[in-house]
Amino acid sequence: MKRKSFKTMSCPIARGLDRVGEWWSILILRDAFAGLKRFDEFEESLGIAPNMLTRRLKALTASGLLEKRRYSLHPPRYEYVLTARGRDFRPVLTTLMAWGNKHFAPEGKSVRLIHVPTGREADPILVDRVSGLPIAAPEFRMAAGPAANERTRRRYEGAEDAR
Amino acid sequence: MKRKSFKTMSCPIARGLDRVGEWWSILILRDAFAGLKRFDEFEESLGIAPNMLTRRLKALTASGLLEKRRYSLHPPRYEYVLTARGRDFRPVLTTLMAWGNKHFAPEGKSVRLIHVPTGREADPILVDRVSGLPIAAPEFRMAAGPAANERTRRRYEGAEDAR
DNA sequence: CAGTATCCTGTCCGATACTG
DNA sequence: CAGTATCGGACAGGATACTG
């Protein structure tokens, strides 16, 4: 991509993006969460060219989001499964889905979040784990942490938060 | 980009990605939430080439995430502020930040989520708005909705959810 | 089935120079 | 200050053919 190198990025968002920033990567993760595992399953679900799928799968594996596992000896067969790091990505997908549903679904929802035991649709919101308070501005805001570099520090110190 | 056209994408994640999929877009939104508004503020904070900034700002404005507002008549001066649609993107940024902090911050956090009144760091988790239940697999899962197309429906029906 | 090998195009992005 | 214009490089992504 020829972007600023990982080394100089002190922002966790930028670092995360560095692993899943390509368009297909997030869609592959979405499918992995849906239970897809095999190369041809991804290929069919995504409508992606096989060489691209290979590339993205390799990158995701190298970043530690997926693990390539042999599930059959002969013939040799492999499957791609989410690692703990990959599974931790689920909230990002969930909020992205909620946002997409709210703003870009003129003809209704095509994917919903379901509470399996009751079958009812869920509406995901963010809360603070300890206080239980809903996370909303301006009560909650981002701020530079101990490992922030100069640029990051400046970004969060001067201006007040956007509402 | 030359990807599958918006028309054929029945997935809210793909549709959302279509608006913020480029690498810089999300970083620009991050800065907008930090309170940045002016062209040169973004330019300085991001270290982005001016032509690219122009393009991304135009795209974000066209997608309705930012609004270009004139805040001075002479000299003519403009600022870019988040719309309601853009502000709704915040949870995605927050979860992405949390994920990045957890998995790609070997030397500690550079950005934190702060509860302003107490000054304490928050730990964002997703819960269902109505039931208050934490959103986690396998109790919660994605499923095809009423507006899903054939491909989307198939993706979620056969396989069981990944843990 | 699970990919690899080629070739090609589009465009993201960077660098730089310039303007009202 | 807030951009526009132009040039060039790298690579994401597509299409297709082929292999153990």
Side-chain angles (χ1 to χ4, degrees):
Chain A
M1 227 171 252
K2 243 281 284 312
R3 301 181 295 241
K4 216 156 300 302
S5 100
F6 167 59
K7 290 300 196 187
T8 75
M9 299 190 305
S10 112
C11 169
I13 294 175
R15 292 187 181 199
L17 246 25
D18 207 44
R19 273 62 173 214
V20 297
E22 286 83 37
W23 203 74
W24 285 120
S25 301
I26 292 184
L27 260 19
I28 290 173
L29 291 175
R30 173 202 66 184
D31 280 11
F33 278 113
L36 304 200
K37 294 183 167 86
R38 298 203 324 277
F39 192 91
D40 70 315
E41 290 176 331
F42 288 114
E43 194 177 6
E44 209 262 303
S45 165
L46 295 163
I48 186 179
N51 55 348
M52 280 313 304
L53 181 55
T54 297
R55 264 149 71 167
R56 297 275 67 89
L57 247 20
K58 277 208 171 101
L60 254 9
T61 303
S63 298
L65 305 199
L66 293 179
E67 187 193 354
K68 181 176 185 171
R69 270 206 312 235
R70 138 177 276 153
Y71 69 90
S72 157
L73 271 172
H74 27 280
R77 290 285 183 273
Y78 299 93
E79 60 181 7
Y80 298 85
V81 293
L82 289 160
T83 61
R85 177 179 287 182
R87 286 194 300 272
D88 281 347
F89 190 71
R90 191 193 276 255
V92 181
L93 239 30
T94 304
T95 50
L96 194 53
M97 183 205 66
W99 184 69
N101 265 334
K102 180 168 182 186
H103 289 283
F104 308 110
E107 354 65 23
K109 298 179 184 174
S110 50
V111 181
R112 293 177 303 184
L113 185 64
I114 297 295
H115 182 233
V116 179
T118 63
R120 295 179 39 170
E121 187 173 347
D123 184 14
I125 60 167
L126 278 176
V127 302
D128 178 18
R129 183 194 301 274
V130 291
S131 67
L133 293 169
I135 297 195
E139 286 80 15
F140 288 86
R141 55 168 300 178
M142 294 187 189
N149 63 12
E150 200 33 50
R151 189 172 257 177
T152 299
R153 205 173 304 280
R154 235 174 319 145
R155 180 154 56 233
Y156 290 105
E157 74 186 8
E160 78 270 32
D161 212 35
R163 240 157 321 111
Chain B
M1 232 172 254
K2 243 282 283 315
R3 301 180 295 239
K4 218 155 298 298
S5 100
F6 165 60
K7 290 299 194 185
T8 75
M9 298 191 305
S10 112
C11 169
I13 295 175
R15 292 187 180 199
L17 246 25
D18 207 44
R19 273 61 174 215
V20 297
E22 286 82 39
W23 201 76
W24 283 121
S25 301
I26 292 184
L27 261 19
I28 290 174
L29 291 175
R30 173 201 66 185
D31 280 10
F33 278 113
L36 305 200
K37 292 182 168 83
R38 297 203 326 276
F39 192 93
D40 71 314
E41 290 176 331
F42 288 113
E43 194 176 6
E44 209 260 305
S45 165
L46 295 163
I48 186 178
N51 55 350
M52 281 312 306
L53 181 56
T54 297
R55 264 152 70 167
R56 298 276 66 95
L57 247 19
K58 278 206 171 101
L60 254 10
T61 303
S63 299
L65 305 198
L66 292 179
E67 188 192 355
K68 182 175 185 172
R69 270 206 315 234
R70 138 177 275 150
Y71 69 91
S72 158
L73 271 172
H74 26 279
R77 290 284 183 273
Y78 300 93
E79 61 181 6
Y80 298 85
V81 294
L82 289 160
T83 61
R85 177 178 286 180
R87 288 194 299 274
D88 281 347
F89 191 72
R90 191 194 278 255
V92 181
L93 240 30
T94 304
T95 51
L96 195 53
M97 182 205 68
W99 184 68
N101 265 335
K102 179 167 180 186
H103 290 282
F104 308 109
E107 353 66 21
K109 297 179 184 175
S110 50
V111 181
R112 292 176 304 183
L113 185 63
I114 297 294
H115 182 233
V116 178
T118 63
R120 295 180 39 173
E121 186 173 349
D123 184 14
I125 60 168
L126 278 177
V127 302
D128 178 18
R129 184 193 302 273
V130 290
S131 68
L133 293 170
I135 297 200
E139 286 80 16
F140 288 86
R141 54 168 301 178
M142 295 188 190
N149 63 11
E150 201 33 48
R151 189 172 257 177
T152 299
R153 204 173 305 280
R154 234 173 320 143
R155 179 153 57 232
Y156 290 105
E157 74 186 8
E160 77 270 34
D161 213 34
R163 241 154 325 109

